[in-house]
Amino acid sequence: MGVEDMQANENVVVLMVPFPAQGHLNQLLHLSRLISSYNIPVHYVGTTTHCRQAKLRVQGWDPLSTDGNMIYFHEFPTPAFQSPPPNPHASVKFPSHLQPSFQAALLLREPVAAVLTKLSPTAKRLVVIHDSIFPSVIQDVASIPNGEAYSFQSVSTFCISTYFWETLGKPAGINDDIEEKIPSKGTTTTMTPEMRELVDSQSEYRKYSSGALFNTCRAIEAPFLDVLAKLNAKQWAIGPFNPVELCKSATKQRYNYLDWLDNQAPNSVIYVSFGTTTSLTDEQIHAIAVGLENSSQKFIWVLRDADKGDIFTGDTRVCQLAEGYEERIKLTGQGIILRGWAPQLEILAHESTGGFMSHCGWNSCMESMSMGVPIATWPMHSDQPHNALLVTKVLKMGVVVKDWAHCNELVESLTIEKAVKELMASKKGEEIRMRAVELGTSIKKSVGEGGDTRREFDDFIAHICR
């Protein structure tokens, strides 16, 4: 449905402007669902490719359902760009091959401005929620009389707040052991110079934000939200955005490996996935394969290369395993290898899943925490080293596979084997799992009636409907 088909005189209309990377697209599409549940129409803007990607991979609900759905997609032609293939041998694991698509997304300013102009007369207030990485795309909201913008922070408040501890004060409970492991600001190990330049180029446009939104809740990050409250005149912690209870009827298809999970004991399977932006060398893949098999633990391993700039075009590298490995683990019943994109939320929600070996992207952390699943941390880039520290040192609901101090080193199979055994088959692992389950319960309560997240969400809705 287009703007012209909508009923006029809506009190509030929301325009959602995500950054074109899977974790960002996903979070703001989930947020669109939550806002639309308040009977507020939400318009989701992006390139045709990235809107299609977001709709294809969303889990727990169907964005194309017409049953009470108030989400409208505005898809624009993808600007021409040439994206090189992912490089598993890159010294920095940040997905530099996606940089051309990130730069091309900055050209969305003009079509976004056109949508703003069309939407403005249909509502008392036009609310723009944009990814904090590229506020220049929504800068024309300043010329819309009834427009206001809110910045969505796609990473943990722990990560953001670490940059301000020196001036605002360090939260209680953060000891020297934690602080010394935090990557220094501007480090070249977490982000490429090109991406740093893009982020820095956006600083002058952050003035258009009227407040900050976080995909987190006080059950997870209360001390760090308190730090950022000293900076932000208005902020709302309204996560998790992902559904915390999955409705089976909302599942678009039944995957074969879910049948395999159904036949495993509760909490017996470790799910292994390093997100959509990680590309591993053949040597590292071999070490993971050996470590998982030697751990004697059940596992589901998503073995795929990083997303390309356009996931719908071109060939994708097939990650190689030793001859006979895949057939052997399948025959013994120890594990399953998944070669394509997998519905992570559904796997984490399954009662047989008892652990998650993860790159610690914030999307993955929130999904795992909300399902009460402990994490074996293996950060790759960006905010992930911070998230890994939050999981292991602050929340104490995970074990370390790769310490960031050794980010450029190969993780040996024995290290992987030990981490899997520690999480899945040790007394310490049981204690960690109990803490993860307790946190998951607290998160579920926070989104329920009277919970912190529900109250903050109601407050945000009341604010934009004032």
Side-chain angles (χ1 to χ4, degrees):
M1 179 183 292
V3 175
E4 60 276 4
D5 300 317
M6 290 196 56
Q7 292 183 353
N9 301 318
E10 294 282 1
N11 188 44
V12 176
V13 171
V14 171
L15 181 65
M16 202 72 68
V17 187
F19 187 72
Q22 177 59 38
H24 300 249
L25 295 166
N26 188 54
Q27 289 189 72
L28 284 189
L29 187 50
H30 279 313
L31 180 58
S32 298
R33 174 186 69 92
L34 295 171
I35 291 176
S36 70
S37 71
Y38 286 82
N39 204 35
I40 295 173
V42 180
H43 296 257
Y44 188 97
V45 174
T47 68
T48 301
T49 293
H50 291 111
C51 284
R52 181 183 172 195
Q53 177 178 330
K55 289 183 281 188
L56 176 69
R57 291 177 170 179
V58 74
Q59 300 162 66
W61 60 286
D62 183 0
L64 301 181
S65 169
T66 57
D67 183 21
N69 194 350
M70 299 183 71
I71 302 174
Y72 309 94
F73 291 90
H74 300 260
E75 304 176 8
F76 297 99
T78 304
F81 64 88
Q82 289 189 329
S83 181
N87 179 12
H89 299 283
S91 58
V92 176
K93 288 300 181 183
F94 185 87
S96 58
H97 66 285
L98 295 179
Q99 191 70 33
S101 68
F102 297 162
Q103 296 293 152
L106 295 176
L107 300 177
L108 282 173
R109 176 191 172 182
E110 188 174 325
V112 165
V115 175
L116 286 169
T117 301
K118 287 184 178 180
L119 285 175
S120 179
T122 70
K124 174 185 173 184
R125 181 170 289 109
L126 176 55
V127 173
V128 180
I129 298 175
H130 66 93
D131 199 297
S132 63
I133 288 182
F134 68 159
S136 66
V137 172
I138 60 91
Q139 62 183 285
D140 294 289
V141 72
S143 64
I144 303 295
N146 60 338
E148 59 189 34
Y150 296 86
S151 174
F152 163 61
Q153 307 290 332
S154 63
V155 301
S156 64
T157 57
F158 172 76
C159 177
I160 301 169
S161 67
T162 59
Y163 298 129
F164 302 101
W165 289 352
E166 187 174 336
T167 55
L168 298 178
K170 188 169 58 175
I174 301 300
N175 55 36
D176 292 341
D177 181 45
I178 295 174
E179 195 159 19
E180 69 184 14
K181 290 180 179 293
I182 295 171
S184 59
K185 188 176 183 180
T187 177
T188 57
T189 56
T190 60
M191 191 180 293
T192 59
E194 293 78 12
M195 189 61 191
R196 174 62 60 190
E197 184 179 346
L198 187 153
V199 172
D200 290 345
S201 73
Q202 299 291 298
S203 59
E204 65 178 293
Y205 303 105
R206 297 193 178 109
K207 62 188 177 185
Y208 299 115
S209 175
S210 298
L213 303 177
F214 300 100
N215 183 11
T216 191
C217 62
R218 298 195 66 81
I220 304 170
E221 295 194 283
F224 316 113
L225 284 162
D226 290 342
V227 169
L228 295 181
K230 300 173 185 177
L231 287 175
N232 299 316
K234 295 185 177 69
Q235 68 176 36
W236 294 269
I238 52 178
F241 295 169
N242 59 270
V244 299
E245 301 285 355
L246 297 192
C247 176
K248 290 186 178 180
S249 63
T251 302
K252 287 175 278 191
Q253 65 184 101
R254 173 73 183 181
Y255 296 89
N256 292 335
Y257 47 84
L258 292 177
D259 294 331
W260 181 83
L261 271 175
D262 288 343
N263 292 318
Q264 309 307 317
N267 299 319
S268 65
V269 176
I270 185 167
Y271 169 62
V272 182
S273 177
F274 302 110
T276 58
T277 62
T278 298
S279 190
L280 298 172
T281 65
D282 290 340
E283 184 181 15
Q284 187 63 83
I285 289 168
H286 175 72
I288 295 170
V290 173
L292 289 174
E293 186 172 26
N294 289 349
S295 74
S296 300
Q297 302 303 306
K298 299 290 184 76
F299 64 87
I300 286 184
W301 180 11
V302 180
L303 179 56
R304 62 187 296 275
D305 211 16
D307 280 350
K308 303 186 300 298
D310 184 340
I311 67 169
F312 301 104
T313 61
D315 297 327
T316 301
R317 166 187 170 227
V318 177
C319 302
Q320 299 298 319
L321 291 167
E323 186 177 353
Y325 178 89
E326 200 163 347
E327 294 76 10
R328 184 170 66 252
I329 62 153
K330 188 174 181 180
L331 186 64
T332 61
Q334 185 183 357
I336 292 178
I337 307 293
L338 305 182
R339 293 288 184 170
W341 183 87
Q344 178 167 290
L345 193 59
E346 294 178 17
I347 294 173
L348 291 171
H350 199 285
E351 65 176 2
S352 295
T353 303
F356 180 17
M357 186 182 293
S358 173
H359 63 304
C360 298
W362 189 237
N363 217 39
S364 290
C365 287
M366 285 300 295
E367 290 179 352
S368 199
M369 288 188 280
S370 62
M371 296 303 167
V373 176
I375 302 173
T377 63
W378 189 330
M380 301 290 177
H381 60 79
S382 304
D383 59 315
Q384 297 163 17
H386 292 82
N387 301 339
L389 280 175
L390 174 67
V391 166
T392 57
K393 294 293 188 179
V394 180
L395 300 173
K396 296 181 170 56
M397 56 157 288
V399 301
V400 175
V401 181
K402 186 170 191 172
D403 190 291
W404 192 248
H406 306 284
C407 61
N408 294 320
E409 300 174 15
L410 178 81
V411 182
E412 301 289 351
S413 60
L414 184 59
T415 301
I416 297 164
E417 176 189 343
K418 287 180 176 178
V420 172
K421 285 181 175 177
E422 182 178 21
L423 187 64
M424 303 298 293
S426 74
K427 178 67 174 176
K428 179 180 178 181
E430 289 179 16
E431 294 169 353
I432 288 171
R433 183 167 297 103
M434 286 179 62
R435 283 194 289 273
V437 170
E438 289 171 1
L439 181 60
T441 300
S442 297
I443 292 169
K444 286 181 171 66
K445 286 181 179 177
S446 78
V447 302
E449 199 67 42
D452 289 337
T453 292
R454 175 65 67 85
R455 286 198 301 269
E456 293 221 18
F457 218 119
D458 289 345
D459 183 58
F460 174 66
I461 296 298
H463 175 73
I464 62 175
C465 292
R466 67 192 185 282

